[in-house]
Amino acid sequence: MRPKKVCLTLILLIASVPMFGVGIPHLDLSRVVNSSDVIVIGSFSKPFLNGSGPPMQFRGQSLTTRVFSARLRVSRVIKGECPQELTLSFVLPDTFMGFRGPQPGLRMLFLKREDDTYRFTDPYYPDLPATAFENGLQPIDDPLTAVLRELANVIEKPMANQDRYSVLQKNYAIPTSEFLIAAIKRGILSAPDPETRRALQSELLQRGDLSELKGVSEGLIGGTLSAASKRTLLYAIGNKITSPAATDQILPLLMAKDGEVRTAAAEALWHIANPKTAGDIAPLLDDSESQVRYYATRALAAITGDNLWGPSIPEFEENGGKYVEHWRKWAVSNGYRHE
């Protein structure tokens, strides 16, 4: 049933929401969805300043605030009921505390309802990007699933590319699913530029999908990637890849001229801990990069189970020669290198 066309002013009371100590907390999407009385998708106007607001108390101090308003036209309701047209008024402190108002454009908004008054469910995350595209499936009764599908839509075909990056920055809050993986793959095919394609490839790798690893490895070896793309892909390879199925695509990276690429490959081999790679790891003990030598010792310790010889970073920085020499002798005794 479509919402009624009504114009209301909704005061979003953020002053009553408990403050966190330092920094902005991570988004807990399940909590936000479950705690919301109303979740809608709609188009926001650019907020305009109404004037000074009531003081906000924080740690015994009184913070000045300002009141803003923005128009919202609801296009879809995911949870609860609300009018089709709203004027949202919200209060923000002049001192930045991590709170923010809704962003202009097509957004997904999370609200708590108290009688005729609404407030943000989470003042740190009052809204998320949304799209004008339906996912083509039957309506979803479960609000969390509907929200996750909408975020997958944003990754695949956003209204604006910055919306896609905004969602990817919160990937920790979005569980891996077949639907999400398929959306990321479709997004790679339709990516508007190489940077976006590489960012989505990194997202796949971080979620354990290796289908793009060959192309990524070729790009890294060829040295054709931008600094930003190289950074995000090396992070995914070095920190997220754990499957032995990735071994054949990781090993060529050990021959790269770029020491950062070799470092990420050695770190990946440590996490994979595939005994078949011991002979490939042994030469890394002589690498010119200290980090490559470090991850070589950690990888060999993981493969053999001899964790006493898998040093921490501070220990390796102080006594790296001792560990490298231990594994050199081990490699000789096991036929992986000559004296």
Side-chain angles (χ1 to χ4, degrees):
M1 181 175 66
R2 293 186 60 82
K4 297 179 181 179
K5 185 175 181 179
V6 179
C7 184
L8 295 179
T9 298
L10 308 182
I11 304 299
L12 305 184
L13 302 176
I14 65 175
S16 62
V17 180
M19 300 259 189
F20 290 83
V22 178
I24 299 174
H26 275 189
L27 170 64
D28 184 339
L29 194 56
S30 296
R31 180 189 62 79
V32 172
V33 170
N34 291 334
S35 300
S36 295
D37 298 316
V38 175
I39 303 174
V40 298
I41 293 174
S43 297
F44 278 107
S45 65
K46 183 178 180 179
F48 57 88
L49 177 63
N50 287 339
S52 299
M56 177 183 295
Q57 299 300 316
F58 178 64
R59 292 182 177 176
Q61 296 184 353
S62 181
L63 304 179
T64 58
T65 67
R66 288 182 289 177
V67 180
F68 297 84
S69 294
R71 296 283 297 172
L72 169 65
R73 182 176 178 83
V74 176
S75 58
R76 278 185 278 161
V77 177
I78 292 178
K79 181 180 180 181
E81 297 180 355
C82 76
Q84 188 177 18
E85 292 186 359
L86 309 174
T87 298
L88 300 181
S89 297
F90 50 94
V91 182
L92 294 178
D94 291 328
T95 302
F96 180 71
M97 305 303 302
F99 297 160
R100 65 173 179 82
Q103 304 300 300
L106 193 64
R107 309 294 291 181
M108 181 161 47
L109 182 68
F110 303 88
L111 297 172
K112 291 283 289 183
R113 181 172 184 172
E114 298 172 356
D115 297 325
D116 293 330
T117 301
Y118 294 72
R119 64 175 174 84
F120 296 140
T121 304
D122 186 332
Y124 295 98
Y125 302 99
D127 63 338
L128 291 171
T131 75
F133 305 99
E134 299 288 351
N135 56 37
L137 302 178
Q138 294 296 319
I140 301 169
D141 292 331
D142 176 47
L144 179 58
T145 300
V147 168
L148 293 174
R149 293 258 172 119
E150 182 59 30
L151 295 179
N153 278 345
V154 173
I155 291 175
E156 178 184 352
K157 44 190 177 184
M159 300 295 287
N161 210 30
Q162 64 265 28
D163 288 344
R164 174 186 279 129
Y165 282 102
S166 176
V167 172
L168 291 178
Q169 288 172 353
K170 301 175 183 66
N171 60 2
Y172 61 85
I174 306 173
T176 300
S177 65
E178 292 184 5
F179 186 89
L180 178 64
I181 294 297
I184 295 172
K185 290 181 177 180
R186 290 192 295 269
I188 290 173
L189 294 175
S190 62
D193 55 70
E195 296 298 298
T196 300
R197 183 164 62 89
R198 295 304 188 184
L200 293 173
Q201 287 175 324
S202 175
E203 187 69 20
L204 274 187
L205 294 178
Q206 293 185 52
R207 292 181 179 276
D209 188 291
L210 304 177
S211 58
E212 294 289 318
L213 181 55
K214 182 178 179 180
V216 166
S217 296
E218 291 172 352
L220 289 168
I221 292 172
T224 59
L225 307 185
S226 69
S229 289
K230 186 178 84 168
R231 183 167 57 249
T232 187
L233 289 169
L234 290 182
Y235 170 81
I237 289 171
N239 292 273
K240 298 298 183 179
I241 289 182
T242 60
S243 172
T247 301
D248 289 344
Q249 302 302 331
I250 295 296
L251 290 178
L253 298 179
L254 299 177
M255 306 304 295
K257 294 180 180 180
D258 190 328
E260 291 181 336
V261 175
R262 299 198 306 277
T263 296
E267 187 176 6
L269 292 177
W270 165 35
H271 294 309
I272 293 171
N274 185 349
K276 294 180 180 180
T277 62
D280 300 287
I281 295 170
L284 303 182
L285 297 167
D286 298 319
D287 196 275
S288 60
E289 295 286 337
S290 175
Q291 284 189 305
V292 175
R293 299 194 299 274
Y294 166 71
Y295 286 120
T297 65
R298 294 304 304 265
L300 292 173
I303 288 171
T304 62
D306 192 357
N307 292 321
L308 291 177
W309 286 96
S312 65
I313 291 177
E315 172 65 13
F316 188 82
E317 289 176 347
E318 185 174 350
N319 300 298
K322 177 180 72 173
Y323 292 93
V324 168
E325 186 57 29
H326 168 83
W327 289 111
R328 281 173 178 162
K329 291 179 180 179
W330 176 89
V332 169
S333 64
N334 284 273
Y336 294 120
R337 62 183 292 159
H338 302 289
E339 291 283 7

